[in-house]
Amino acid sequence: MSSASAESESSPFGAARGIYDVDISDPRGELVDRSGLSRDDIRQISGVMQALGGLRDAEQRLSEASLRYMKLNTTDMRALHFLIACENSGIIATPGAMSAHLGISTASTTKLLDRLERAAHITRSPHPSDRRALAIAITPETRRSAIETVGRQHARRFTAAAKLTPEEREVVRRFLTDMTTEIAIDNASWAISADDD
């Protein structure tokens, strides 16, 4: 079987009418109010949804490749990114700040730091101005590895944004901000687990 026919069997939704097309995702109008929209509007909006889906898929593949390359899990990678951002900003990272940034408990943060230190990704040292705290830093080797691979790939997003005009960037920024607000689960009762109560 050719790769083209294998692809069509494993993914029945082609590029023209992808899985993110509103007529495929919501054919009976149970989710999306189409009143006042022309067929051209709907087709164009579906194109935007498909482009967003493609971006999400690319980001997922990049994230998975990053985790495999660095041999870390998602929280570990977020912790290292936090440490790089602190270093770039001249901020001394502490376990408490990391815990708050990652949204995890103090105990989980301690386990995370123990694991990263054993793997030689971070160092812990006395805080220069707070005797009760520790200063956490990413090792130069891990920083270099993260920057030269995963970081460089992620930075290509900046290149894509740089190709836009200032007006286009503002439209895209406003659109993404609005979409983030629309899909936020803050007030969605179904998304709040019993553990959060």
Side-chain angles (χ1 to χ4, degrees):
M1 181 185 294
S2 72
S3 61
S5 60
E7 278 184 23
S8 65
E9 280 194 15
S10 62
S11 179
F13 304 106
R17 280 178 56 81
I19 197 165
Y20 301 107
D21 186 303
V22 70
D23 288 331
I24 292 173
S25 299
D26 186 33
R28 290 176 289 284
E30 299 169 279
L31 303 171
V32 177
D33 179 8
R34 297 172 177 79
S35 59
L37 295 174
S38 69
R39 287 308 305 168
D40 284 345
D41 288 334
I42 292 169
R43 188 167 42 254
Q44 192 174 39
I45 293 168
S46 287
V48 172
M49 296 302 105
Q50 289 176 42
L52 283 170
L55 173 61
R56 187 167 55 247
D57 292 346
E59 287 184 324
Q60 183 65 36
R61 287 191 299 273
L62 175 56
S63 176
E64 290 166 358
S66 302
L67 298 177
R68 285 192 306 270
Y69 177 79
M70 297 293 291
K71 297 180 176 62
L72 297 169
N73 67 36
T74 303
T75 305
D76 297 342
M77 289 293 285
R78 290 181 61 217
L80 294 181
H81 184 220
F82 173 74
L83 292 175
I84 290 172
C86 286
E87 185 178 291
N88 290 345
S89 305
I91 296 169
I92 297 171
T94 63
M98 181 173 286
S99 176
H101 174 74
L102 297 175
I104 61 176
S105 69
T106 302
S108 294
T109 302
T110 300
K111 289 178 185 175
L112 165 71
L113 294 174
D114 287 345
R115 188 169 62 250
L116 291 176
E117 188 173 45
R118 274 195 309 272
H121 292 303
I122 66 156
T123 59
R124 289 186 267 202
S125 59
H127 193 285
S129 59
D130 184 351
R131 287 184 300 170
R132 298 165 302 168
L134 289 172
I136 313 299
I138 189 169
T139 62
E141 297 79 16
T142 295
R143 185 186 198 284
R144 187 166 46 253
S145 180
I147 292 291
E148 289 302 318
T149 55
V150 179
R152 197 166 298 287
Q153 197 73 20
H154 277 289
R156 293 184 179 184
R157 288 186 260 204
F158 185 93
T159 304
K163 294 175 185 175
L164 302 175
T165 66
E167 295 77 16
E168 288 170 331
R169 284 183 212 122
E170 180 53 29
V171 170
V172 171
R173 185 204 62 76
R174 194 171 67 243
F175 164 69
L176 293 175
T177 301
D178 187 41
M179 180 163 280
T180 301
T181 301
E182 290 288 344
I183 69 170
I185 61 169
D186 300 344
N187 298 315
S189 59
W190 61 265
I192 301 171
S193 72
D195 296 337
D196 295 332
D197 295 332

